[in-house]
Amino acid sequence: MKKLCIFDFDGTMFDSLTDVANCFNKTFEYLGYEQLDLDFFKESLGGNVDEIISLILKDNNSPENIELVKNTYEKIYNNDFKKNTKLYDGILEVLEQLQNEDYILAINSNRNPKSIKEFVNRYASDINFIDIQGHVHTNPSKPDPYGVNTIMSKANVSNEKTIYIGDSLTDIKTAKNANVDCLLVRWGYGVGDVYENEYPIAIAENTEDIIDIVKNC
């Protein structure tokens, strides 16, 4: 029986793609770079912000350019209300039910932890996450298992009693590197043959499936 549920943030709990893409394109417009369509950002999300920017800049991905784009993007993103970033329908009810049934909840993401907490406080303030692990430069980012291992240690829960819930290949690799079961969700930003991967124990077609899978795995 599982005891600890670790959720990815972007594409699993929150639909954030539109605001991320809009703020990146505002950054590119300001700096004189070409703007990109939504599909490109969907395929690029999953890494930390430096990795995403490096993919976007391609041959122009010098450390100086990456730092310039990152600093400009962060200023634009932080000053934007991000009105399109919201919990997926049904996720709050899933979190409430898991919490009511005494599962321990946590978040592991490559997003800045301050940003994660902003949205959690705005949309899921009644959920008691034991830990929120986001990407900071002093720690390795997903798919390194650092965040998952830190959460399991804080919760005092073994990997056998932990399940990682995500939407992308990065999440699958993270769960595998931490030696925990992975539940993949269908509604996020998974692309290509990610749903054919053999590592996840199941795929949630809708949010209600999360409860059944967690309780029966």
Side-chain angles (χ1 to χ4, degrees):
M1 179 180 175
K2 298 303 180 185
K3 186 175 180 181
L4 171 62
C5 300
I6 303 176
F7 284 81
D8 170 54
F9 185 89
D10 299 280
T12 302
M13 291 175 57
F14 280 81
D15 185 2
S16 57
L17 182 63
T18 298
D19 285 327
V20 169
N22 287 344
C23 290
F24 263 122
N25 277 329
K26 289 178 183 177
T27 301
F28 298 147
E29 181 180 23
Y30 178 78
L31 296 175
Y33 287 106
E34 178 185 0
Q35 297 188 39
L36 301 167
D37 62 27
L38 205 61
D39 286 340
F40 182 91
F41 290 102
K42 183 175 181 178
E43 294 171 2
S44 301
L45 290 182
N48 64 53
V49 66
D50 295 75
E51 293 168 344
I52 294 170
I53 292 171
S54 180
L55 284 172
I56 291 169
L57 293 181
K58 298 180 180 178
D59 294 339
N60 293 317
N61 65 347
S62 66
E64 295 80 12
N65 282 346
I66 290 174
E67 195 67 18
L68 174 62
V69 172
K70 181 174 69 173
N71 289 339
T72 306
Y73 167 76
E74 288 179 346
K75 288 178 183 176
I76 290 173
Y77 188 84
N78 290 339
N79 288 322
D80 190 276
F81 184 71
K82 299 171 281 290
K83 64 181 181 180
N84 299 296
T85 300
K86 296 180 181 178
L87 284 166
Y88 285 102
D89 289 344
I91 284 291
L92 182 59
E93 290 77 9
V94 167
L95 295 171
E96 289 172 341
Q97 183 170 344
L98 289 171
Q99 181 170 267
N100 289 339
E101 296 186 18
D102 293 326
Y103 288 92
I104 302 170
L105 305 178
I107 298 173
N108 181 42
S109 171
N110 277 339
R111 175 182 282 263
N112 182 289
K114 182 178 178 181
S115 177
I116 298 171
K117 292 172 184 177
E118 172 192 343
F119 289 111
V120 167
N121 290 337
R122 190 187 299 181
Y123 294 110
S125 58
D126 290 336
I127 304 301
N128 181 27
F129 294 101
I130 193 171
D131 196 13
I132 293 176
Q133 287 289 318
H135 176 62
V136 294
H137 294 296
T138 53
N139 301 327
S141 59
K142 298 190 307 183
D144 191 281
Y146 174 86
V148 175
N149 289 337
T150 300
I151 291 168
M152 289 191 296
S153 177
K154 184 170 184 178
N156 194 27
V157 175
S158 67
N159 54 354
E160 293 88 354
K161 292 185 178 295
T162 300
I163 188 165
Y164 190 97
I165 303 161
D167 69 302
S168 70
L169 183 59
T170 298
D171 295 316
I172 295 172
K173 291 179 178 179
T174 302
K176 189 173 183 178
N177 289 339
N179 194 28
V180 301
D181 284 337
C182 178
L183 166 57
L184 199 65
V185 304
R186 181 78 71 175
W187 53 83
Y189 307 143
V191 294
D193 59 357
V194 64
Y195 301 109
E196 306 302 321
N197 193 287
E198 295 181 355
Y199 188 77
I201 60 170
I203 297 175
E205 300 291 339
N206 53 64
T207 54
E208 293 86 354
D209 288 344
I210 294 176
I211 300 294
D212 293 334
I213 294 167
V214 167
K215 293 174 72 171
N216 292 301
C217 67

